[in-house]
Amino acid sequence: MMENSVQMMAQAARKAARQLAAVSLDTRNAALLAIADGIAQNKAELIEVNALDVAQATEENLSAPLLSRLKLSDQKCERMIEGLRALALLPDPLGHVQYAKELSPGLNLYRVACPIGVVGVIFESRPDALVQISSLCLKSGNAVLLKGGREALRTNAVLTRIICEATEKAGIPAGWCALLQSREDVSEMLKLHELIDLIIPRGSNAFVHYIMQNSEIPVLGHAEGLCHVYVDADCDLNEAVKVAVDSKTQNLSVCNAAETLLVHRAVAEQFLPVAAKALIEKGTELRGDEAVGKIIACLPADETDWETEYLDSILSIRIVDGLDEAIEHINHYGSHHTDAILTTNAANAERFMTMVDSADVFWNCSTRFSDGFLFGFGAEVGIATGKIHARGPMGMEGLCTYKYRLYGHGQTLTELNRGEISLTHRDLPKELPC
């Protein structure tokens, strides 16, 4: 794709974004339902072209976890449809009054949620991610430029066609959603700081940092998911085994799967043999430190293992002397994504959830619950591991910013300075006057 084509897409998206900000909630919801119907009607075509993507990726020796992400099944299609319909039922994220204050009699200030504008999202080879991202942008009034992994090029092209056709018929401005094709397109997109308001890269820390270093556009990073489960001395061992196994094995190729298991030394001899049996039955390769190796059969773990997001049937295990050592390990090696503590000690759980510097911290439940759909957001653009603007599963609110609206009746600062009017700073109902 030529440079001017990427620029033309961004210009069209900018024009559409300004119009989309004023499109009614009913129209946006109708468009979401139209996309759901379009996917249902074109499911056979989607699965057929996806099979071509999967076949090519298999020939190119794409790893099994990434192939799993790429493959579009009937079940995944139904979940996409379900997500779209659920998103249509959620309240409007736009126009929400966050702050309301009377500055002076008849001079009223309101802070109101509004779209960011044009968002560029670079994501992995998951066709369902394209639907989640575009639908959240639509509901929140944003235009979007999408770049998926090259392995899903055929599938993404068909999905984008379905989305654009459905939404234009529903009354959404043309050009609000467009698909980039190549890495060169991404390079060109990164130059368009006057047309694009935000870039959201989903991938490794190195990839996110590369995007940050090569663009003047603000970047909201969705970095890798190096997630931990810590088994405390005070725990229900049966429950701990169940949750730890689910966190690792329920789906290997996702960013909220556990990669490192930390076990308190006091329960290691009781917990590890039972957990290892269950994990091995699920096909998991175990790598442990020296202390772990004295209790169960495992490969030796080294420094690299603590730093690795496997996205595979591999789990690193370390024995720690206590809660604080577990917290220190997670904060040092983790990616600030999702980390869980398994304990019956409420004080320990509270300390863990306060001290672990991650977007999502869980007590006695699987890390796999770190998901925008499961959180009730309808879907997610990604899971932001930074701390600015949005953090954790990023739904519609993360795609909104705000503006201040000031309603007056001829007031001037000269009048204020002369004492002819005075400041009251009185709270107002959080409702716009018109």
Side-chain angles (χ1 to χ4, degrees):
M1 188 171 293
M2 300 297 291
E3 176 180 349
N4 64 338
S5 296
V6 177
Q7 185 162 357
M8 287 172 63
M9 284 195 296
Q11 288 170 337
R14 169 61 69 196
K15 180 179 178 181
R18 288 172 178 155
Q19 297 171 328
L20 187 54
V23 169
S24 71
L25 174 64
D26 287 345
T27 299
R28 282 178 276 136
N29 285 340
L32 290 170
L33 296 176
I35 298 171
D37 292 341
I39 291 173
Q41 293 162 8
N42 293 276
K43 189 190 302 182
E45 180 189 2
L46 278 168
I47 292 175
E48 182 180 345
V49 297
N50 179 254
L52 297 175
D53 284 335
V54 171
Q56 181 174 334
T58 302
E59 289 179 6
E60 295 174 357
N61 297 314
L62 189 69
S63 69
L66 294 181
L67 276 174
S68 175
R69 286 188 177 195
L70 173 61
K71 188 173 182 180
L72 196 59
S73 63
D74 186 82
Q75 183 180 16
K76 281 187 181 178
C77 287
E78 288 303 316
R79 181 158 181 178
M80 287 192 291
I81 293 167
E82 179 186 358
L84 286 159
R85 291 175 177 162
L87 186 58
L89 296 174
L90 294 179
D92 193 352
L94 304 179
H96 173 65
V97 178
Q98 303 169 347
Y99 175 91
K101 188 79 70 173
E102 178 192 80
L103 303 189
S104 183
L107 187 63
N108 297 334
L109 179 68
Y110 300 87
R111 188 170 71 205
V112 184
C114 64
I116 288 173
V118 180
V119 182
V121 187
I122 309 163
F123 57 99
E124 67 280 22
S125 300
R126 278 183 52 203
D128 51 330
L130 183 147
V131 176
Q132 292 177 9
I133 293 163
S134 59
S135 63
L136 284 170
C137 286
L138 173 58
K139 178 86 176 195
S140 56
N142 292 283
V144 62
L145 300 179
L146 300 155
K147 173 61 176 73
R150 67 178 182 85
E151 295 87 0
L153 193 59
R154 298 178 185 89
T155 312
N156 286 344
V158 173
L159 279 170
T160 304
R161 187 201 78 211
I162 292 169
I163 289 167
C164 292
E165 289 178 355
T167 55
E168 286 183 35
K169 289 179 182 177
I172 301 300
W176 79 274
C177 177
L179 182 66
L180 278 63
Q181 302 291 323
S182 67
R183 289 183 179 180
E184 290 74 23
D185 288 350
V186 172
S187 297
E188 297 307 326
M189 179 175 70
L190 297 180
K191 300 174 185 177
L192 302 177
H193 61 274
E194 294 182 355
L195 296 172
I196 300 171
D197 299 292
L198 180 68
I199 298 289
I200 304 175
R202 294 171 40 145
S204 67
N205 285 325
F207 173 66
V208 172
H209 290 151
Y210 170 82
I211 298 297
M212 290 177 172
Q213 293 164 5
N214 286 274
S215 183
E216 296 180 34
I217 304 169
V219 175
L220 183 65
H222 170 115
E224 62 194 354
L226 210 171
C227 304
H228 300 76
V229 172
Y230 166 59
V231 180
D232 193 31
D234 301 320
C235 71
D236 180 318
L237 287 172
N238 291 330
E239 182 179 278
V241 170
K242 180 181 70 170
V243 173
V245 171
D246 185 84
S247 295
K248 175 66 233 183
T249 67
Q250 197 278 330
N251 188 337
L252 300 172
S253 62
V254 289
C255 60
N256 58 15
E259 306 290 15
T260 297
L261 178 63
L262 304 173
V263 183
H264 195 294
R265 192 176 301 278
V267 294
E269 291 191 1
Q270 295 171 280
F271 172 83
L272 283 174
V274 181
K277 182 176 183 295
L279 287 161
I280 291 169
E281 287 175 353
K282 295 282 189 178
T284 310
E285 176 186 300
L286 305 180
R287 302 180 184 180
D289 64 10
E290 185 177 352
V292 172
K294 292 179 180 179
I295 300 174
I296 60 171
C298 62
L299 297 174
D302 58 25
E303 187 76 7
T304 302
D305 289 295
W306 313 134
E307 301 170 341
T308 300
E309 181 189 23
Y310 300 113
L311 295 175
D312 204 349
S313 53
I314 304 169
L315 180 68
S316 59
I317 308 174
R318 179 182 177 186
I319 291 177
V320 295
D321 288 326
L323 173 64
D324 287 344
E325 187 178 350
I327 293 170
E328 183 179 353
H329 178 105
I330 293 169
N331 286 338
H332 180 76
Y333 292 104
S335 62
H336 313 293
H337 192 295
T338 302
D339 301 287
I341 180 171
L342 309 181
T343 185
T344 56
N345 187 314
N348 283 357
E350 182 62 27
R351 181 170 178 80
F352 180 94
M353 298 173 89
T354 301
M355 298 295 292
V356 168
D357 185 18
S358 295
D360 297 336
V361 284
F362 294 171
W363 179 13
N364 287 343
C365 55
S366 173
T367 60
R368 289 285 288 116
F369 282 104
S370 176
D371 177 89
F373 177 75
L374 296 177
F375 277 19
F377 301 163
E380 67 184 37
V381 176
I383 297 184
T385 51
K387 299 182 182 180
I388 304 301
H389 178 68
R391 199 177 196 199
M394 185 175 166
M396 294 182 293
E397 289 183 0
L399 288 169
C400 294
T401 183
Y402 54 79
K403 62 176 64 173
Y404 286 96
R405 297 186 180 191
L406 186 58
Y407 296 75
H409 295 280
Q411 294 90 340
T412 67
L413 195 60
T414 299
E415 292 171 317
L416 178 66
N417 289 339
R418 289 175 178 171
E420 296 169 11
I421 61 175
S422 59
L423 294 174
T424 57
H425 288 162
R426 182 174 64 87
D427 289 335
L428 296 172
K430 291 183 179 180
E431 297 177 358
L432 290 174
C434 59

